[in-house]
Amino acid sequence: MKPSPKKKTSHKRKTFYITTPIYYVNDVPHIGHAYTTVAADVLARYKRLRGYETFFLTGTDEHGQKVQQAASHHGVDPQMYADRMVVAFKELWEHLTISNSDFVRTTEERHKRVVQAVLQKLQERNVLYQASYEGWYCLPDERFWTSEDVVDGKCPECGRPVEPLSESNYFFKMSAYQDRLKRHIRKHPKFIQPESRRNEVMGFLERPLKDLCISRPRARLSWGIPFPFDPDYVTYVWVDALVNYISAPGYGSDERRFKKWWPADVHLAGKDILTTHAVYWSALLMALGLELPKTLFAHGWWTVDGEKMSKSRGNVVDPNTMAAEYGTDAFRYFLLREVPFGQDGDFSKAAVTTRYNSELANDLGNLFSRTLTMIERYSGGVVPKPHPKAVKTDDRRMAALAKELYKTVGQEMDRFAFHRALREIWTLVDFANRYVEQNAPWNLAKAPKNQARLDTVLYHLAETLRILAIYLFPFMPTTAQRMVTEIGWTTPLDQAIKPMDYHWGKLKPGRPVQKGKPLFPRMEPPTGITKQETVEAATPSKEIRMESTQTEPSLITMDEFRRLELRVGRVVSAEKVAGTDKLLKLSVDIGTEIRPVVAGIATRYAPDLLIGKMVILVANLKPAVIRGIESRGMILAAGDKEVEALATFLEPVKPGSRVK
Ligand code: ME8
């Protein structure tokens, strides 16, 4: 008998490489820069927690006309100016607890060498040529435009005036890659995200692609990386900048390291630099014979109080000030919770305060401090032991919800839907808050016979908070670490934690808890917000809350109500679900999509009667599988036991309209 071949097991760790744009140093960073970098940090931390070895790159773009001009305006040479400005970026990333693995500056030798090697390679591969360029130049954007591009003498991208220009330059044969790039985008739906941006790039590629001018005569612009084979020219700042994504992980200097990280998993950027990344960078990579990044995600744009952010308007928001005022974690949370990633958003202090008070101070902070106070009061300050016989259905439900988060939060994070991931996490926060009210530990504490139940309830709360902290960590690292430490679980969350640690029951009874200062002390609304607007977020003192819940019916806040997404739907099809008398399977048009919904209304309505009816759909209800059919939402109907009437509208309404 032949010996069976030894099984080869691979111990290669999963890797994740994520980048931000490298930011121009001509000015100090603002919330736009903070946004991209915080988002990248959240993804990097999330991947690390899930066991990925992660390379997270950010840096600064230091060459080019913009920086040269800013330096001369300040009367210093560009390198000195860049050295000074880079400090503001590095300090901000520290202030915002950004966990980047590397910080690349385009003026570093390690980067300049690679840019020159890239140019040399392009020259050898015969994809460069010299030609005279007649066109228009947008000075602030450093972009050439043709006469067809220019709109009324203005830059088509930023709307500022352009200047005529004619000079000899080097061109990259970008047009040669047009068809290949289109094929690549079609074949890889995840390459450019969100989908609207992908369509935008495909639209752009419908027109013939022009070759790219990649040099600047040194006589006109000295602040750049010289061409290795023609010292009269420096490299166009965009080519210089894009190369950072390969120079930092070792292209041309450390092939093993480079192979480990490239292709990048995600390039994050704002929608302003979509074309340079999706088209220029892709074509350059193809010319170099390198793989394209797996995903390029272009997020939306922040305005401030409804206006474009600009120095001249004086409304530029300093992220340092925001972090100092609200706390770094609350600021990070707000940026990712407020706006669906990919869409534009508006920043206002009123919006930050409202979310801070209602979601962080009230929902999360209060849950945490109440739990610790109760453990101190009723369990001698140590994590109590749950008693299997005292476990009730609600406890199991809470544990099941905590378990589900691994999948639901993971799915949303992998789709870059940070706001939805947070919404998933908040389903557990909300559940736990209701659980406190319903189980009223302060009542249980009144009779010694309830001790087993009291211990079990408090354990379930503490364990829920431990698990919540793991999921919150990528968003609010300092708070989450404090939470687990105060609750007696000393695992450092900034490393890959063991898969078991996500499981229910890892918190050891008997460990002392340590209650610190409130996680999120309440904030006064900024001047200009009325009391009315924040009254729903106001919390009475802990004692009053504990006592009052014994007599008050369970009231919800306006904010809790607003979390319900109710939409107008039109029933487009209805059929009985086989094997039951009660259920109908409906397809409901909500404007943007058709939702499958399983509804228990079959005893009241025949399917045909419902076609075309307008209904109210709870659109943000967690999907459920009922009798093997996925149900994505719930329709509203009246009736105490049996359904008596469907809720509908007096006037005609469009499917998808919000019901409020
Ligand atoms: O473009 N809203 O650098 P940059 C959201 N050096 N994000 C914003 C924003 C806003 N209002 N303002 C800026 C450059 N950003 C080049 C990049 S990469 C190879 C070279 C963010 O300093 C967003 O990520 O102008 C945007 O893409 C980036 O800052 C532009 O930074």
Side-chain angles (χ1 to χ4, degrees):
M1 220 171 79
K2 269 198 213 159
S4 60
K6 261 201 186 148
K7 247 196 192 166
K8 259 199 186 162
T9 44
S10 160
H11 293 290
K12 219 174 138 216
R13 243 175 102 185
K14 299 172 287 184
T15 58
F16 183 72
Y17 174 24
I18 183 163
T19 68
T20 73
I22 49 170
Y23 305 110
Y24 287 127
V25 287
N26 59 324
D27 213 335
V28 290
H30 56 63
I31 52 160
H33 306 110
Y35 185 50
T36 322
T37 311
V38 166
D41 187 60
V42 169
L43 280 170
R45 287 177 184 274
Y46 156 72
K47 286 289 183 181
R48 273 187 219 119
L49 265 183
R50 297 220 173 187
Y52 285 74
E53 193 180 349
T54 298
F55 185 55
F56 166 19
L57 178 66
T58 188
T60 40
D61 191 355
E62 303 187 358
H63 290 122
Q65 195 123 7
K66 263 189 199 183
V67 177
Q68 182 169 294
Q69 272 175 347
S72 84
H73 182 76
H74 285 87
V76 287
D77 80 83
Q79 186 65 62
M80 198 184 278
Y81 183 71
D83 289 347
R84 210 186 274 170
M85 295 300 285
V86 77
V87 177
F89 285 86
K90 288 190 168 171
E91 281 180 357
L92 175 62
W93 303 151
E94 230 170 80
H95 196 172
L96 297 182
T97 53
I98 301 301
S99 62
N100 52 304
S101 327
D102 194 357
F103 187 104
V104 60
R105 298 181 58 184
T106 53
T107 51
E108 286 170 329
E109 269 317 308
R110 63 165 175 160
H111 174 76
K112 291 197 275 191
R113 254 199 322 268
V114 177
V115 171
Q116 291 192 324
V118 162
L119 290 170
Q120 190 68 46
K121 196 154 193 169
L122 295 175
Q123 174 79 336
E124 282 158 17
R125 293 195 163 196
N126 222 6
V127 292
L128 302 185
Y129 62 90
Q130 239 181 324
S132 145
Y133 191 88
E134 311 274 336
W136 300 89
Y137 191 62
C138 171
L139 201 72
D141 281 357
E142 302 191 351
R143 297 272 291 270
F144 278 108
W145 299 103
T146 63
S147 302
E148 299 138 43
D149 296 325
V150 169
V151 185
D152 298 333
K154 306 245 168 65
C155 168
E157 196 123 306
C158 70
R160 287 174 284 204
V162 289
E163 296 164 10
L165 210 92
S166 164
E167 62 191 21
S168 170
N169 266 309
Y170 282 91
F171 284 77
F172 163 53
K173 292 181 189 166
M174 190 160 75
S175 56
Y177 301 93
Q178 176 159 13
D179 291 337
R180 218 177 118 190
L181 180 54
K182 274 162 84 173
R183 279 199 303 278
H184 184 88
I185 298 172
R186 271 196 214 105
K187 222 174 127 192
H188 299 88
K190 290 198 170 162
F191 174 47
I192 300 172
Q193 295 187 54
E195 205 184 332
S196 55
R197 301 286 163 226
R198 177 172 184 255
N199 296 339
E200 205 177 304
V201 174
M202 282 310 265
F204 180 83
L205 289 172
E206 282 310 310
R207 285 182 297 163
L209 196 55
K210 296 194 181 77
D211 290 341
L212 183 67
C213 180
I214 60 155
S215 67
R216 299 291 180 261
R218 213 173 179 165
R220 178 162 70 78
L221 176 72
S222 58
W223 187 230
I225 301 174
F227 268 50
F229 45 85
D230 191 340
D232 288 343
Y233 289 92
V234 297
T235 318
Y236 169 42
V237 72
W238 265 103
V239 172
D240 170 349
L242 289 161
V243 167
N244 92 88
Y245 299 136
I246 56 173
S247 70
Y251 179 74
S253 64
D254 183 345
E255 282 311 302
R256 251 186 74 175
R257 197 159 74 87
F258 182 63
K259 251 181 104 177
K260 172 171 175 181
W261 298 113
W262 194 258
D265 291 272
V266 185
H267 286 330
L268 277 192
K271 64 180 184 181
D272 55 322
I273 53 179
L274 176 67
T275 314
T276 46
H277 281 75
V279 181
Y280 299 7
W281 183 225
S282 300
L284 282 166
L285 287 168
M286 284 174 178
L288 291 170
L290 293 174
E291 277 182 78
L292 302 198
K294 289 181 204 154
T295 292
L296 159 62
F297 193 104
H299 64 66
W301 211 241
W302 282 94
T303 49
V304 172
D305 293 315
E307 291 199 344
K308 200 169 173 251
M309 203 172 10
S310 77
K311 253 191 163 167
S312 53
R313 280 195 178 92
N315 64 348
V316 177
V317 179
D318 175 6
N320 286 295
T321 313
M322 288 303 116
E325 218 164 291
Y326 295 95
T328 292
D329 281 355
F331 177 57
R332 289 170 61 112
Y333 171 83
F334 174 81
L335 289 177
L336 295 183
R337 179 64 188 85
E338 179 72 358
V339 181
F341 203 58
Q343 292 178 24
D344 296 341
D346 187 51
F347 185 91
S348 72
K349 286 176 82 169
V352 185
T353 311
T354 304
R355 270 197 196 280
Y356 177 98
N357 279 338
S358 89
E359 290 159 23
L360 298 179
N362 254 17
D363 296 352
L364 180 66
N366 210 40
L367 172 69
F368 187 71
S369 74
R370 290 173 95 182
T371 302
L372 288 194
T373 302
M374 291 189 289
I375 292 179
E376 280 177 352
R377 263 191 219 168
Y378 310 134
S379 180
V382 298
V383 176
K385 195 169 157 23
H387 296 258
K389 283 198 180 135
V391 172
K392 293 193 173 172
T393 314
D394 241 17
D395 310 6
R396 284 192 207 96
R397 276 211 198 115
M398 192 154 71
L401 195 56
K403 186 175 163 205
E404 248 175 61
L405 288 188
Y406 191 83
K407 195 168 132 214
T408 52
V409 172
Q411 272 168 350
E412 301 301 355
M413 294 295 279
D414 291 341
R415 282 184 202 136
F416 303 90
F418 302 110
H419 70 298
R420 287 216 217 107
L422 284 165
R423 231 159 47 190
E424 289 297 337
I425 298 171
W426 248 252
T427 56
L428 184 58
V429 174
D430 293 341
F431 193 108
N433 273 314
R434 280 197 304 275
Y435 179 90
V436 175
E437 311 281 315
Q438 277 155 9
N439 287 285
W442 49 92
N443 279 344
L444 294 171
K446 287 179 187 158
K449 68 171 172 42
N450 294 329
Q451 194 59 44
R453 179 64 193 147
L454 178 60
D455 287 350
T456 307
V457 167
L458 294 182
Y459 180 83
H460 275 73
L461 284 169
E463 178 60 341
T464 295
L465 284 164
R466 182 191 70 87
I467 292 177
L468 276 172
I470 300 178
Y471 290 103
L472 288 171
F473 178 75
F475 297 93
M476 301 193 279
T478 313
T479 305
Q481 188 63 59
R482 252 193 71 189
M483 283 171 72
V484 291
T485 311
E486 289 186 19
I487 217 138
W489 195 57
T490 46
T491 305
L493 293 174
D494 59 355
Q495 294 160 21
I497 61 170
K498 294 192 275 310
M500 287 294 287
D501 289 333
Y502 288 93
H503 291 192
W504 185 268
K506 292 301 287 178
L507 185 63
K508 294 261 176 303
R511 307 277 315 220
V513 302
Q514 254 180 348
K515 188 166 182 260
K517 289 197 297 258
L519 295 181
F520 300 102
R522 295 189 54 72
M523 290 266 159
E524 279 303 310
T527 40
I529 308 186
T530 61
K531 272 263 182 312
Q532 190 58 34
E533 280 173 82
T534 50
V535 78
E536 71 266 17
T539 331
S541 74
K542 189 176 59 210
E543 273 68 24
I544 299 171
R545 268 173 71 88
M546 282 188 180
E547 298 313 323
S548 67
T549 49
Q550 297 172 44
T551 49
E552 269 179 28
S554 205
L555 297 177
I556 63 164
T557 62
M558 200 56 197
D559 224 62
E560 279 167 325
F561 172 72
R562 277 200 210 107
R563 234 177 270 152
L564 266 184
E565 191 188 333
L566 300 175
R567 299 236 170 238
V568 176
R570 192 170 56 86
V571 179
V572 289
S573 76
E575 59 185 87
K576 284 209 153 194
V577 173
T580 107
D581 295 335
K582 283 204 163 165
L583 301 179
L584 289 185
K585 181 188 167 199
L586 311 176
S587 303
V588 181
D589 177 3
I590 55 162
T592 47
E593 59 180 312
I594 310 270
R595 291 279 188 94
V597 176
V598 177
I601 53 173
T603 49
R604 178 67 184 81
Y605 293 100
D608 288 354
L609 242 168
L610 291 171
I611 313 277
K613 289 272 180 297
M614 306 308 283
V615 292
I616 302 174
L617 184 89
V618 184
N620 60 343
L621 194 70
K622 240 186 208 174
V625 176
I626 304 170
R627 300 248 168 185
I629 304 165
E630 193 196 22
S631 182
R632 293 180 48 222
M634 183 176 88
I635 55 171
L636 299 188
D640 286 333
K641 282 191 187 128
E642 295 292 315
V643 168
E644 287 163 27
L646 271 185
T648 183
F649 300 91
L650 287 175
E651 316 297 341
V653 264
K654 268 208 324 260
S657 310
R658 188 94 200 227
V659 182
K660 38 194 186 197

